[in-house]
Amino acid sequence: MPEARAKKGAAGDGATGKPAAEGPGGSAGAARPRRRQARGEARIAQLLDAAATVFGANGYTASSTNAIAREAGVSPGTLYQFFPNKEAIAVELGDQLLHRWRDTYGAAFDQSHIELPLDRMLDAVLDPLIAFNCENPAFFVLMHGSDIPGRITEEHDILHTTMLSRVEGILADYLPDVPATRLHRVAEMAFMVFKAGLDLVLAHEGEEREAYIQEMKAAMYRYLDPLIGDDSPHLAPHARQDHTP
């Protein structure tokens, strides 16, 4: 009889809404790891944001895990729970920035831009690329430093080749009769003008930065205009009319 009463009491507890303790396989046990995972993802994002700030301000070599932890407002021990060293942080941050950069230049090199006059085409292509680099100084640091982890360097080399192909594709639509070898040279020269100009843009702020952006666009325009001009067969009639020399 005591055993029967015990069973009845257990059933009564459930009937009155008292939750029974759940083991690791129950819903309560499953929720705890999910909460811990969410906290961990938030902490990783916090550390990567801090790393972006530190790398952007100090460069990769001069930055340290202690400086990143300090910027994130956590202890170095907390940082090492998620990343074993500075290189691992740089690789993870580099992966995220590269993904966002691919989205940016994918939109910048939209095929519809070939219907624009040259000056407006340059605005449409260059403005989002410049803005991304200005808003993410760590990207430039991680993509161009001599001491950057090899994986980032490899990804950057692939990215460089892909972007150069996109530039060639845009120019090929403007210049369908130009031989492929010269088209490649023109694309590479235009790309290097952009990279060199971007160095100067990022080295300045405020009005000076804007002035260097305009100088970069002017250099690109003066280089490409004699090749493209108003006679490109792909410029729409309104584009030729609105063309600004």
Side-chain angles (χ1 to χ4, degrees):
M1 295 298 294
E3 181 180 352
R5 283 195 298 270
K7 290 180 180 179
K8 181 179 179 181
D13 287 344
T16 55
K18 294 180 180 178
E22 298 186 20
S27 61
R32 283 194 295 273
R34 282 199 296 271
R35 286 198 297 270
R36 284 198 296 270
Q37 184 180 14
R39 286 197 296 269
E41 290 173 353
R43 183 68 78 191
I44 289 171
Q46 178 185 6
L47 291 167
L48 292 177
D49 285 345
T53 300
V54 173
F55 289 152
N58 305 327
Y60 178 75
T61 302
S63 298
S64 67
T65 51
N66 285 345
I68 293 170
R70 186 164 54 250
E71 178 68 26
V74 302
S75 68
T78 297
L79 181 149
Y80 289 125
Q81 291 177 17
F82 300 95
F83 296 103
N85 49 44
K86 181 177 73 172
E87 179 177 340
I89 298 173
V91 168
E92 180 69 20
L93 178 61
D95 283 348
Q96 289 192 9
L97 290 172
L98 279 168
H99 178 75
R100 290 163 54 194
W101 175 246
R102 290 186 185 97
D103 290 341
T104 299
Y105 80 69
F109 289 110
D110 188 277
Q111 201 68 15
S112 65
H113 293 160
I114 68 169
E115 297 181 0
L116 299 172
L118 178 60
D119 53 349
R120 287 169 54 196
M121 184 273 282
L122 289 174
D123 287 340
V125 172
L126 296 179
D127 284 347
L129 303 182
I130 295 169
F132 180 92
N133 280 274
C134 291
E135 293 165 6
N136 299 280
F139 178 74
F140 192 84
V141 169
L142 292 177
M143 296 304 118
H144 298 90
S146 59
D147 51 353
I148 300 304
R151 176 177 163 186
I152 296 179
T153 302
E154 292 172 4
E155 291 289 334
H156 175 259
D157 290 344
I158 295 171
L159 178 69
H160 178 277
T161 302
T162 303
M163 286 194 65
L164 185 57
S165 296
R166 299 293 290 271
V167 174
E168 282 190 55
I170 289 283
L171 291 176
D173 285 322
Y174 277 103
L175 306 168
D177 299 324
V178 172
T181 52
R182 189 184 183 202
L183 190 67
H184 178 77
R185 289 196 298 269
V186 171
E188 195 160 35
M189 183 61 69
F191 192 59
M192 294 307 293
V193 169
F194 169 73
K195 289 181 65 177
L198 189 60
D199 281 341
L200 291 169
V201 167
L202 295 177
H204 296 82
E205 296 181 353
E207 293 182 0
E208 275 298 291
R209 171 173 287 181
E210 183 57 33
Y212 274 101
I213 290 173
Q214 296 308 315
E215 291 295 333
M216 179 208 293
K217 290 180 179 179
M220 193 84 73
Y221 180 88
R222 289 165 186 160
Y223 173 58
L224 293 175
D225 184 53
L227 294 170
I228 297 174
D230 285 337
D231 296 327
S232 171
H234 289 273
L235 281 177
H238 72 275
R240 293 190 182 92
Q241 183 179 358
D242 295 342
H243 181 64
T244 304

